Amino acid sequence: MIELLLCLAWAGLLPAWTGVLLLRALGPSCRSLHPLTRVVAGAAFGLGLSSLLAFVLLHLPGFGPGRLWLAAPIAVAALYLLARRQRGQAPAAQPSADCRIHPGLRLGCGLALLAAAWVFVWKSQLYPHSEGDALLIWNLRARFIFLSGEAWAQAFAAGNGCAHLDYPLFLPLGVVQLFSLLGAALPAAPIVLAAVTSTALAGLLFAALIRGGKGDWAAVGLLLLLGTAFVEYGPTQYADVSLSLFMLLSLVLIQAADERAPGAGTRLAALAGAAAALAAWTKNEGILFLLCFLLARLRHAPALGVPALWRRDRWILLGCLPVLLVLVWFKLSVGSAGDVLLRMQEDSSWNERLLDPRRSVEILSAAGRSSLLHGYVLVPGILLLGGLVWRRTAGAGRREMEAMLLCLGLCALGYFLVYQISSDRLDWHLRSSMDRLQMQLLPGLIFACLLPLARRAEPGSGQ
Amino acid sequence: MQPITLLAAALSTSALIALGVRVAGLPGSVQPSPHEPGALLDRFAEVRRELDRRGARPPLGLVTAIPIEVAMAPLLETYTDATLAAVRGQPVDAGLEAWLIEELVDLVQARGEKPQSVQRDACAVVVRQRFIPYLRELQMGPRRYALAPYLVDGEPGGPGSLCIADLPPGSDLAAQAAARGMDLLVGFPNGTGVLRVR
């Protein structure tokens, strides 16, 4: 129990504090987010920052993996000092923390949250050491780094037993921080981290849909998320939940930046860029997401013009930069080229596979099967809902929705193309990853479809 | 009620039902993990039956000869005295082999070859990819398993054996092992170990 509480403090409270301080330090526009969004987004940023800092600390003399528990307190201290400098600024208009929800929806959400918590506890008891890739890739890497001590970089040496040396380190270094706190590689560490990221993802989706003091659509969004296999992915300790968290966070923040007056949302845009880059620091699919995120911004070019788009979106690039620098440092120093890229270099027949219609059919039917098996049967309903909402939404709201759906659609297309050209056995590749890729995109899809509905509750929406 | 509201209500209700079905599908009590010996034994039997059904000849002889539990037990987090027993060469859990066999068969089939034709290579791959960090963990754990005598004293354990050595940094055992005709040498993170698979 002590281990769990310690881990919870380090993986939950300290990151949330770090992130809230970060948002405070960035000024009034960030402080004007809904209080729950601030806490949840803060926790995500806190985890991301301490993971990046941990990677930097690993390279400093005297900081082996055993002392990485210091990363989170150092991040808090640094941001506390930074936030203190902002004290003199005019306070931002604080949004109401009210959240009125229809009693039926409130009851449904309560039951769903209880059920989800039960599934988490049940599965964590059943697989305390996780399963599949979580055991053999993410937690294995964490163990290897932690147990190797000063020789941690050898964990990335070819032939030393770890596969996928190019996989980014958000999750392994998060786990290593907790291992170092506990002084041992105990299963409590990845379990708590999984609990925090799962809760943050569900909480962020809920918080981002609270508008005008009403939370009905937020409750619907939460129910839709919990009605899928998402509830089972959290306790598996896979990195996909963390990736999905950063993907959703970047969409939420860029939407918050867009709805502010020109020039008022620049820091939120920078944070959105940082969140998208943290997705890349979590999984290689996050790199694809980051590209799609930036490409989707071009959707606004016809309405705004390129110069105005650049003035607005350069802040996204600025936000990406620090995280991407660490990612590039990792990839060029201890990481290696991606497995998929390496295999493609060795196998020149990828262009034949790209044009093979049988593979396309197999991929699409696997997507359908996976939907049926993993609870994504709700997805057609969500898309239908999105279509109805799109028809009834106009102006900036419609453009925002289109940009978010375009980003997610480009991501899905990217996944499709990777399957199409992959030199791995296609049936194995589909069986081992299709469901998780769908899960990565689901929270963003729910957010994009429900946001225009939630905004109708805002004052002045005319609804 | 508007169509959107109706659809959202239907979706929310479906989601709640789907979650309820998911929870109801969970057994009332936590069953042994597939990593637990009992479940693994069952799985082992299943794998054998499946291999028989396919008419495949798995490298059972090879795998059985490898005291694979030495590596597998910590891999599966069974930090118990059973690990120590395995290290000493006592049988622990034949079921643990099942996982390895499954991996081997997957690897072999992925290459489009018959299982028996690539026994040694496949085994080497599995050992390299899965075990080394845990062997390292064995070395650094509270009970430091002294495995070196198996190899240093020239006792390789017979054909098809897996030998693990715990060596001081800078040891020249890698060279010694190579001189003895080792098939595979893999270094531990700090270069203190040698692993042999025949």
Side-chain angles (χ1 to χ4, degrees), chain A residues 59-104:
Chain A
H59 291 80
L60 298 181
F63 270 100
R67 293 190 180 165
L68 286 193
W69 62 271
L70 286 166
I74 289 175
V76 168
L79 285 163
Y80 178 75
L81 293 175
L82 204 61
R84 277 186 64 181
R85 295 176 58 189
Q86 303 289 329
R87 276 189 176 169
Q89 288 192 359
Q94 295 285 326
S96 164
D98 286 351
C99 179
R100 297 182 302 281
I101 301 176
H102 185 279

Side-chain angles (χ1 to χ4, degrees), chain A residues 128 215 280 296 303 349 426:
Chain A
S349 58
L426 185 59

Side-chain angles (χ1 to χ4, degrees), chain A residues 7 81 105 111 125 184 222-223 241 247 327 332 367 426:
Chain A
C7 287
L81 293 175
L105 282 170
L111 289 173
Q125 276 185 297
L222 185 63
L223 281 171
V241 172
M247 288 162 87
L327 179 65
L332 293 181
L426 185 59

Side-chain angles (χ1 to χ4, degrees), chain A residues 8 13 31 35 51 84 105 180 212 296 319 340 343 351 358 369 396 414 434 439 452 454:
Chain A
L8 206 55
L13 295 181
R31 292 198 292 264
S51 173
R84 277 186 64 181
L105 282 170
S180 73
V340 174
R343 282 196 292 270
N351 47 352
R358 285 171 304 179
R369 278 198 306 276
M434 174 60 84
M439 200 284 294

Side-chain angles (χ1 to χ4, degrees), chain A residues 126 143-144 147 154 160-161, chain B residues 31 77 128-129 134 140 187 189:
Chain A
L126 185 59
R143 282 174 181 283
F144 212 147
L147 294 166
Q154 299 274 348
N160 262 345
Chain B
Q31 299 298 310
E77 310 276 356
R128 285 164 64 90
Q129 292 199 341
Y134 291 93
M140 299 185 66

Side-chain angles (χ1 to χ4, degrees), chain A residues 88-155:
Chain A
Q89 288 192 359
Q94 295 285 326
S96 164
D98 286 351
C99 179
R100 297 182 302 281
I101 301 176
H102 185 279
L105 282 170
R106 205 183 312 156
L107 177 66
C109 279
L111 289 173
L113 285 172
L114 278 177
W118 169 243
V119 172
F120 192 97
V121 171
W122 193 92
K123 285 209 78 168
S124 296
Q125 276 185 297
L126 185 59
Y127 301 108
H129 306 289
S130 70
E131 48 185 321
D133 284 0
L135 172 71
L136 293 168
I137 297 177
W138 304 107
N139 290 345
L140 185 65
R141 175 69 42 78
R143 282 174 181 283
F144 212 147
I145 294 172
F146 176 67
L147 294 166
S148 297
E150 296 294 326
W152 65 269
Q154 299 274 348

Side-chain angles (χ1 to χ4, degrees), chain A residues 381-427:
Chain A
I382 297 170
L383 288 173
L384 177 63
L385 184 69
L388 290 172
V389 172
W390 179 79
R391 281 187 60 186
R392 293 181 177 209
T393 308
R398 188 169 186 167
R399 282 200 298 276
E400 278 173 12
M401 186 181 177
E402 285 170 350
M404 284 192 275
L405 291 177
L406 180 63
C407 171
L408 297 171
L410 286 172
C411 245
L413 179 65
Y415 294 160
F416 176 84
L417 289 176
V418 170
Y419 281 132
Q420 191 77 27
I421 62 175
S422 165
S423 57
D424 289 320
R425 273 167 50 210
L426 185 59
D427 63 327

Side-chain angles (χ1 to χ4, degrees), chain A residues 27 120 132 179 204 206 212-213 242 261 267 269 309 311 314 316 357 408 418 436 450 458:
Chain A
F120 192 97
F179 282 166
L204 180 63
F206 180 81
S242 309
R267 293 180 183 193
L309 188 71
R311 276 197 301 278
R314 62 189 167 169
I316 299 177
L408 297 171
V418 170
R436 287 183 285 125
L450 296 188
E458 288 177 336

